[in-house]
Amino acid sequence: MSGVSTETGPGTGPDSGSGTEFDADELSYPSRNWRDFFTDHFGPSMLWALISIGGSHIVLAPTLGGTFGLFAIWMFAIIYLAKYGGWELGIRYNYGVGGNPVEAYDQLPGPKNWMQWFTVGVFTVMYTGITAAVGMSTASFVQAMTPLSFQQSFVLFVGFAGVLVLLTRYSLLEKILIGFTVALGFLIVLGVLVGPPSGEVVAATTFTAPDITGPLFIGLFAAAAGFAPTGFSTSVLIGSWSMAKGEGAGELRERDLDPNDERYHDYIRAWIQTGRRDFNIGYAFSFALIVAMVILASNVLYPNPPEDADLAVTIGNILSQSFGEWSYYAMILGAFAALYSTVITLLDGAARATGDVLPMALERDDLDSERIRKLVVVGIVAVSCGIVLTLGAVPVTFLIWISAILAVTEILFYPANWYVVKKNLPEQFQPSRTWVIYYVVSLVAVTIFGLMGAAHEFGYI
């Protein structure tokens, strides 16, 4: 995984650029046809989607499906619809400017660099909690496959992930884990086709709303809203991956060209369309998989969701009715791969983002980002191990708890991304009135999700 781009060169704002004469045809346009798109540009969104397949798909989706049945599909649909805008704005900036949105957070009104400091806090404090939560779920599956205890499994595997990230020698392992995760996704979808829910479950749960004012619904909905598909902070990580692939209209900045010059608008438009196409595929894949997991849970688990003590066994048996006993081991291994690859990605992403954003917040280009990265990895591993040794085996409970907090803390990335788009993209690429209406409505919805999370965390319900 690549770090956050720290380049903040000229040409990033509506009034910048030297207007140097330059033929637009000489710029590097993205590939237009689908074949070349998948060859040259596809990828950042799938890395993003694979993060979400950990905690939200393997733990939260079965929990909601096992609790509310097929009604959970509507819950996730509302969440995905409302949260799309936060990432769409990030993609709009990322590809339209050719940079990472976090580099422009210093433009937000208020105390100096406050949003960049907040970003550092999210990638250190909150990602420590997320790593602990996903690591707990990983440890549950390791415990089911080995003679290791829960605590031993966590310390060994999360510690090993930390060593791999420190040494940056995990690319082959990560590819293997991603392979297992993708295979698991196909197996889950196939399981839905082979063994769909009974007519009784469909009739009883599809359009039957639970008590939406009750603590159970509010707590689980807030958790899903916080962690599904991921938190908004991952718009920073998408920016990193996109920059690593050389995606976006970055040549305008490199050549000190004015983005307001109409000669370059086709170039900017083409890159924004490419970025949105890539993200839409990853977003659709994530949603389809979470729906499939809810359907399976509704068929096999409802009305008994997985609990802390039997998480791995319950998830392992979710395909047994469709494929038989062998699928238990396939599901256990696939779920472990999905969760463990998420642990590695969280550790690497949080460390690299902190290493790159902290110098921005401090306005200290002389800081050693690599040293910061290594310190963050060690800190997250050490603190998360301390959390697990203190709390014990509570993978479902802790994931729900930390996810509800994310529903509150991640909101700010949405308006921040909107602000930097408004500030830096030429007028022709500003959101249309329809998009603005959607942003306003969805931001209100996301704020309500946050209030639900706060009500759950502080015991107001």
Side-chain angles (χ1 to χ4, degrees):
M1 180 188 300
S2 174
V4 179
S5 171
T6 58
E7 181 182 357
T8 56
T12 59
D15 300 318
S16 61
S18 64
T20 304
E21 292 293 330
F22 189 82
D23 191 346
D25 292 336
E26 297 180 40
L27 295 170
S28 300
Y29 284 74
S31 302
R32 298 282 185 172
N33 62 66
W34 280 99
R35 180 178 178 179
D36 290 340
F37 164 78
F38 281 107
T39 301
D40 300 332
H41 307 298
F42 182 63
S45 68
M46 287 306 295
L47 287 173
W48 169 88
L50 288 170
I51 294 179
S52 71
I53 294 175
S56 61
H57 289 60
I58 303 299
V59 182
L60 286 178
T63 300
L64 268 69
T67 304
F68 304 118
L70 295 175
F71 188 82
I73 294 176
W74 300 112
M75 298 166 66
F76 280 113
I78 292 171
I79 292 167
Y80 271 69
L81 180 62
K83 293 181 70 174
Y84 176 83
W87 289 291
E88 192 277 337
L89 285 162
I91 294 294
R92 193 186 290 257
Y93 179 94
N94 183 197
Y95 282 79
V97 172
N100 196 312
V102 72
E103 70 188 22
Y105 285 173
D106 61 342
Q107 301 170 0
L108 269 66
K112 189 175 183 180
N113 299 340
W114 68 271
M115 187 61 193
Q116 290 172 334
W117 279 110
F118 179 78
T119 302
V120 170
V122 167
F123 280 116
T124 51
V125 178
M126 292 308 303
Y127 271 57
T128 298
I130 299 169
T131 301
V134 180
M136 283 187 187
S137 299
T138 306
S140 295
F141 287 90
V142 174
Q143 185 183 21
M145 295 185 293
T146 70
L148 296 173
S149 69
F150 179 84
Q151 286 85 354
Q152 289 171 337
S153 300
F154 185 97
V155 172
L156 179 61
F157 278 83
V158 173
F160 182 62
V163 171
L164 290 174
V165 172
L166 282 174
L167 300 176
T168 62
R169 294 179 179 176
Y170 56 91
S171 58
L172 177 59
L173 175 62
E174 193 171 40
K175 289 178 182 178
I176 294 172
L177 293 173
I178 289 174
F180 276 114
T181 303
V182 173
L184 174 66
F186 283 113
L187 193 60
I188 289 172
V189 173
L190 188 59
V192 171
L193 298 175
V194 173
S198 66
E200 181 180 352
V201 171
V202 172
T205 66
T206 304
F207 299 106
T208 303
D211 178 10
I212 62 173
T213 61
L216 180 63
F217 178 87
I218 291 177
L220 288 180
F221 188 93
F227 212 50
T230 67
F232 286 129
S233 58
T234 56
S235 61
V236 174
L237 301 183
I238 295 176
S240 297
W241 297 324
S242 301
M243 294 301 94
K245 283 178 66 69
E247 304 289 85
E251 277 188 88
L252 296 183
R253 301 199 306 175
E254 294 170 4
R255 299 179 183 274
D256 195 21
L257 302 175
D258 184 4
N260 288 290
D261 191 323
E262 292 186 0
R263 291 176 299 171
Y264 310 129
H265 286 177
D266 285 343
Y267 171 75
I268 297 174
R269 184 177 297 106
W271 274 114
I272 291 176
Q273 291 173 348
T274 297
R276 189 177 289 144
R277 175 189 291 180
D278 177 66
F279 182 72
N280 287 347
I281 293 172
Y283 209 69
F285 173 77
S286 175
F287 181 68
L289 197 55
I290 211 166
V291 168
M293 203 65 178
V294 168
I295 294 173
L296 276 177
S298 301
N299 181 34
V300 180
L301 305 181
Y302 179 80
N304 300 304
E307 299 179 354
D308 291 324
D310 64 356
L311 172 64
V313 174
T314 301
I315 300 301
N317 285 319
I318 206 167
L319 289 173
S320 296
Q321 290 187 15
S322 299
F323 299 112
E325 184 177 351
W326 70 269
S327 64
Y328 170 83
Y329 300 100
M331 188 69 193
I332 289 284
L333 184 60
F336 161 77
L339 291 163
Y340 197 48
S341 63
T342 301
V343 170
I344 293 173
T345 306
L346 287 169
L347 278 173
D348 185 74
R352 290 185 184 276
T354 304
D356 288 331
V357 179
L358 185 58
M360 296 183 198
L362 290 170
E363 298 183 352
R364 290 276 307 276
D365 293 336
D366 60 315
L367 289 180
D368 186 351
S369 294
E370 180 63 14
R371 184 179 181 185
I372 296 171
R373 183 188 75 85
K374 291 180 178 180
L375 288 173
V376 172
V377 172
V378 172
I380 291 179
V381 170
V383 175
S384 62
C385 286
I387 291 172
V388 171
L389 293 175
T390 301
L391 297 180
V394 287
V396 178
T397 301
F398 189 72
L399 184 67
I400 291 173
W401 182 77
I402 197 71
S403 298
I405 295 178
L406 291 177
V408 180
T409 60
E410 296 270 326
I411 295 174
L412 285 175
F413 288 95
Y414 194 151
N417 287 345
W418 192 355
Y419 186 88
V420 299
V421 164
K422 186 69 176 175
K423 187 82 171 177
N424 294 285
L425 259 69
E427 183 63 33
Q428 290 82 350
F429 303 103
Q430 292 296 323
S432 66
R433 178 175 297 181
T434 302
W435 273 109
V436 169
I437 293 172
Y438 162 72
Y439 294 149
V440 171
V441 173
S442 64
L443 191 52
V444 169
V446 168
T447 303
I448 293 173
F449 300 163
L451 292 174
M452 294 170 70
H456 176 265
E457 293 301 308
F458 295 106
Y460 293 133
I461 56 171

